Each structure stands twice: as C-alpha cells, then as structure tokens.
Amino acid sequence: MILHPKILIVDDEPRMCESLRSLLSGHDYEIFTANSGTKAMEILSQEAFDLVLLDMVIPDMDGHQLMDYISNQYPDTFVIVITGYASLDSAVAALRKGAYDYLRKPFEYEELLKTVQNALDQKRLKYENELIDGRLKVTEERYRYLVDNSPDIICTLDLDGNFTFVSDAAERLIGYKPEELIGKHYST
C-alpha cells in the first residue's frame, strides 16, 4: 500500500512547480520537481514515483517523448498531463499514450486534488489486485500440487452428475485417462 505517495511535477515554469508543491505538500505526499525533461529523467532514475504531473511543453523535449520514456521505463507510474495548450487532439494523443488524465491550465486546485487522489486510489487498487492475484496463484499452485500428488481419485461433477475434473490418479487406479471421463456421468 502507498503510505506516502511520491509525486514528480514536471513543468518549465518554476512558479507553477512551487505552487503545485505547496498545494500538494499539505496532503502527505512527497513532492519532487523538475523544469526539464532531462532533469525529470534524472530524478525518475533515482526514485520510484507513484505519479507524474507532466506539462506537455518543456524546454528540451516534447512532453509526449517524456511520456513514452515513463511508460517504457516505469510502467507502474501514473501520468496526469497538465497543459496550457489544450486541444482535443493533444488530449486524445496523451490518453492514448497512457496518461491517467488530462487537465487544462488554468485548472481549479480542487479539480487537481481530486484527480491526483483518484489516480493514487486507482494505483493502490491495482497494487492490491496484483497482491491478491499473486496470493491466489500461489494457493492454486499448492492445491494443484496436492491434487496431482494425491494417491486418491479427486473429481468434481456438474449439476447433472457429469465429470468436470478428474485427477491423474484415475488412470493409475481404474485405468481411465482423466480426459476420457470428462463429460461422462459418474455412474458410467
């Protein structure tokens, strides 16, 4: 679970970076700033970030190039695009490249806070789902091992009494391969 989310703000305007830092710092986030794509890449290589607030107009590269870098190198990092040069085409392009959301400057701070919190909630849920999936996979592997190595026949039936699963022990004990029994009634 994300205890103190790390957010990187990438904007060519130092006052915007400081304004966003000031706004977000009061919400238990760790805030880092960069005024160029190169500086952002340097910071990203040193820290793991939960979220990047990315202005699409930065001095040394196109914001889309930095988005590509983030999605290739740090696929678990969410990106929210913030830009003063908003258009439908740029919004669609950013979202297609994997941006979590797209905000047009000037935006309401409440809108930004809500968007940031939603992105972090989504990231937390994704992380929790991955943990649950991992635990489920381990549990399934354990049960599969037990079933595969059981000396007894283990089977499941559908509501009509037909085999839906038969363990490999069936071949050893009664001479039928499991796949020969699947779909047949248990009385067979």
Side-chain angles (χ1 to χ4, degrees):
M1 191 166 153
I2 308 168
L3 295 177
H4 300 286
K6 288 186 181 178
I7 300 174
L8 174 61
I9 301 165
V10 183
D11 197 304
D12 61 329
E13 299 174 33
R15 285 191 301 165
M16 177 58 92
C17 285
E18 288 311 309
S19 175
L20 292 173
R21 176 197 296 271
S22 175
L23 172 72
L24 296 171
S25 292
H27 290 68
D28 208 23
Y29 303 136
E30 265 188 83
I31 308 297
F32 296 75
T33 62
N35 298 116
S36 68
T38 305
K39 183 66 176 170
M41 292 166 94
E42 178 186 320
I43 293 171
L44 284 162
S45 70
Q46 297 169 359
E47 298 281 341
F49 286 91
D50 299 297
L51 179 64
V52 174
L53 297 176
L54 174 61
D55 184 4
M56 295 307 282
V57 180
I58 46 180
D60 56 346
M61 69 177 62
D62 180 74
H64 292 288
Q65 291 172 310
L66 186 54
M67 277 188 67
D68 288 340
Y69 173 78
I70 293 168
S71 66
N72 289 330
Q73 299 296 316
Y74 311 99
D76 291 333
T77 300
F78 281 37
V79 175
I80 296 175
V81 171
I82 53 174
T83 186
Y85 302 99
S87 71
L88 181 60
D89 290 340
S90 67
V92 169
L95 294 171
R96 281 190 177 151
K97 286 189 176 283
Y100 174 79
D101 209 338
Y102 187 94
L103 297 174
R104 196 178 101 191
K105 292 180 188 175
F107 44 80
E108 296 292 324
Y109 286 135
E110 289 301 319
E111 177 185 18
L112 174 69
L113 288 173
K114 182 179 178 186
T115 303
V116 165
Q117 189 58 53
N118 288 343
L120 293 172
D121 287 345
Q122 183 75 26
K123 183 173 173 94
R124 180 185 50 79
L125 289 172
K126 181 181 175 190
Y127 174 76
E128 288 172 359
N129 282 339
E130 288 170 356
L131 278 177
I132 291 168
D133 287 346
R135 289 178 186 155
L136 180 60
K137 184 178 179 186
V138 168
T139 301
E140 287 175 353
E141 288 171 356
R142 286 180 183 159
Y143 283 115
R144 171 60 57 190
Y145 177 81
L146 290 172
V147 167
D148 288 346
N149 292 291
S150 173
D152 298 322
I153 297 173
I154 298 174
C155 64
T156 57
L157 305 172
D158 63 17
L159 294 175
D160 296 325
N162 298 318
F163 289 109
T164 59
F165 171 81
V166 179
S167 67
D168 291 337
E171 186 172 7
R172 195 173 58 249
L173 295 173
I174 59 175
Y176 288 99
K177 292 184 178 185
E179 53 272 12
E180 293 175 318
L181 297 172
I182 302 296
K184 293 198 166 63
H185 194 268
Y186 73 91
S187 64
T188 304

